[in-house]
Amino acid sequence: MGSRKISVIIPVYNAETYIIPCLESVINQNFSDIEIICVNDGSKDGSKELIEAYMKSYPQIMLINQANQGVSMARNIGLQAASGDYIGFVDADDTIDATMYDTLYRAAVDGDCDAVITNFECELEGCKVTTRFPFPPGIVLMREYIEREIMTYFLKSDQLNTVWNKLYKRSAIVQFGVKFPRNVALGEDGMFNMQFFKHAERVTYLDYSGYNYRAVIGSATRNMKEKDYFQRALDVYRLDLTSIYTNKIDPLKLKQLRSFKLITNVIATINMYLGASKDVSLGEKLRYVNRMIKNPDVREALPYYYHEASGTLSRYERFIAEMIRRKSLLGLYCATTYSKLRNT
């Protein structure tokens, strides 16, 4: 296929419903020098055949088939096959705007950057929500800023974890030996980014949204019994990050940031579970929330959360945090029910 300027890696697993609009959005970029690497991760539906049909008309598409190993392994296989100067990631159920890779590539080359970070858009129940980041836009951010602001942001929030709102210099990925970790539930993107940005010298942030993330409505409720969101938040909280953050950040600050993320995730999970649809019984919801608020890690993290969050919490967040501190199931149930009624 020859070397191209950008390699776009698309992990595909049972994505026949969405893969065509996804592929179309990448093919129709106004930046033409792109190779598209689809990694079929053992799909059992018609995804493979749909991609093969597109390959007949579009020689820039490459298809790699593998037995199901998960999204991290699929992306690693894609990285091994990539030849572009820069790497982008797109999920098979999302789309990108026609200007996205042209915009990111120009910024990367102009600033000689290891990575470009952008906003992303998500449509939730008919409302478009744009996720932005508190970094100065349109300038080259150097090593000191990356260490002080971007690396700490990964600890405090999950929002920057995604790989698909970024463009990475491939030579930097190779040089730093960055890979997606196997078996890190919900944290694989974050781990990849922490490893990458730990070494990055020059980064730029664009106040631009070209990535359209599809939030599949109802999936959180459907997945509640299969995916233990709280356990995943605990796994991320307990990850050993010493190799990444040693000597880079004060241990107390590290604890505060990680505690803030854990309690933020606990509050989000409480809202999701107690506000969930009728197919989960109230008793089941309350048992789950009770397990969360009595967990030793949550108890340990609360004081650090208060310290880190001081002055930034809404009245609702303050109340929920106080009910967690008091281990008040009734308070949490009343608050989330009131919030749900007020927002309907």
Side-chain angles (χ1 to χ4, degrees):
M1 192 181 289
S3 176
R4 289 182 181 268
K5 291 200 168 81
I6 297 177
S7 300
V8 178
I9 297 168
I10 307 176
V12 180
Y13 179 70
N14 292 349
E16 66 179 7
T17 312
Y18 304 115
I19 189 64
I20 289 177
C22 173
L23 278 176
E24 290 275 356
S25 74
V26 183
I27 290 163
N28 293 323
Q29 290 292 293
N30 61 5
F31 184 92
S32 59
D33 206 356
I34 290 179
E35 67 171 358
I36 303 166
I37 303 169
C38 296
V39 184
N40 174 35
D41 188 37
S43 294
K44 296 178 177 70
D45 64 359
S47 301
K48 176 173 172 279
E49 289 70 27
L50 288 170
I51 296 164
E52 284 171 343
Y54 263 75
M55 289 171 74
K56 290 171 186 164
S57 307
Y58 299 99
Q60 69 267 45
I61 300 175
M62 177 196 306
L63 175 62
I64 300 169
N65 294 298
Q66 65 172 30
N68 180 247
Q69 297 177 60
V71 67
S72 289
M73 294 303 106
R75 286 180 177 148
N76 284 340
I77 291 288
L79 283 172
Q80 286 171 21
S83 64
D85 297 334
Y86 288 86
I87 304 276
F89 296 94
V90 177
D91 282 356
D93 47 1
D94 299 335
T95 59
I96 56 175
D97 291 354
T99 56
M100 178 162 151
Y101 281 124
D102 184 51
T103 305
L104 271 62
Y105 181 80
R106 285 172 190 275
V109 171
D110 288 351
D112 185 25
C113 291
D114 294 322
V116 181
I117 301 169
T118 67
N119 306 329
F120 59 89
E121 278 195 350
C122 170
E123 194 162 312
L124 273 172
E125 291 163 11
C127 289
K128 278 199 171 172
V129 180
T130 301
T131 297
R132 290 187 164 82
F133 301 100
F135 312 134
I139 61 168
V140 175
L141 306 170
M142 304 301 285
R143 182 81 214 120
E144 187 202 345
Y145 183 91
I146 296 166
E147 229 164 73
R148 191 180 71 244
E149 300 295 334
I150 296 177
M151 289 300 287
T152 53
Y153 199 90
F154 284 119
L155 292 169
K156 190 173 181 175
S157 168
D158 288 327
Q159 287 186 318
L160 194 59
N161 282 0
T162 60
V163 289
W164 28 253
N165 67 323
K166 301 175 183 71
L167 191 67
Y168 304 87
K169 189 183 279 186
R170 186 170 67 91
S171 61
I173 292 175
V174 173
Q175 182 191 341
F176 308 152
V178 184
K179 290 188 178 75
F180 288 89
R182 189 189 283 271
N183 301 329
V184 180
L186 220 67
E188 62 274 318
D189 286 20
M191 291 298 286
F192 178 90
N193 276 315
M194 285 182 215
Q195 294 281 2
F196 184 92
F197 284 92
K198 174 190 174 184
H199 300 284
E201 295 289 339
R202 298 167 67 87
V203 169
T204 193
Y205 164 59
L206 301 182
D207 188 10
Y208 160 86
S209 305
Y211 194 95
N212 308 300
Y213 167 68
R214 190 191 300 273
V216 183
I217 301 304
S219 62
T221 302
R222 281 201 303 277
N223 291 338
M224 266 172 44
K225 291 178 183 175
E226 302 154 36
K227 293 182 181 172
D228 189 338
Y229 286 98
F230 175 55
Q231 188 56 51
R232 289 174 164 220
L234 281 180
D235 290 345
V236 171
Y237 177 71
R238 292 169 180 165
L239 279 174
D240 181 9
L241 299 178
T242 45
S243 64
I244 298 175
Y245 286 93
T246 307
N247 305 327
K248 303 288 183 192
I249 185 168
D250 173 62
L252 176 61
K253 186 67 175 170
L254 186 71
K255 184 80 177 167
Q256 285 168 353
L257 292 165
R258 299 184 76 176
S259 298
F260 180 87
K261 185 194 264 193
L262 176 64
I263 302 299
T264 302
N265 283 335
V266 165
I267 291 171
T269 307
I270 287 170
N271 282 319
M272 184 177 75
Y273 272 72
L274 293 183
S277 64
K278 309 285 186 288
D279 57 356
V280 182
S281 74
L282 179 59
E284 205 176 332
K285 293 176 189 177
L286 292 175
R287 276 193 298 276
Y288 191 86
V289 171
N290 197 43
R291 189 186 121 210
M292 282 197 278
I293 62 180
K294 290 185 174 169
N295 178 276
D297 286 320
V298 171
R299 307 312 304 170
E300 178 193 65
L302 263 172
Y304 295 101
Y305 169 82
Y306 277 116
H307 185 278
E308 184 59 33
S310 71
T312 65
L313 298 178
S314 67
R315 232 167 62 189
Y316 178 72
E317 287 167 328
R318 277 202 308 275
F319 184 79
I320 293 284
E322 179 60 20
M323 291 304 101
I324 294 171
R325 191 183 71 77
R326 293 187 190 179
K327 303 181 190 170
S328 171
L329 271 177
L330 179 63
L332 290 169
Y333 179 69
C334 292
T336 51
T337 305
Y338 171 73
S339 173
K340 192 179 171 188
L341 290 170
R342 201 184 58 187
N343 292 324
T344 51

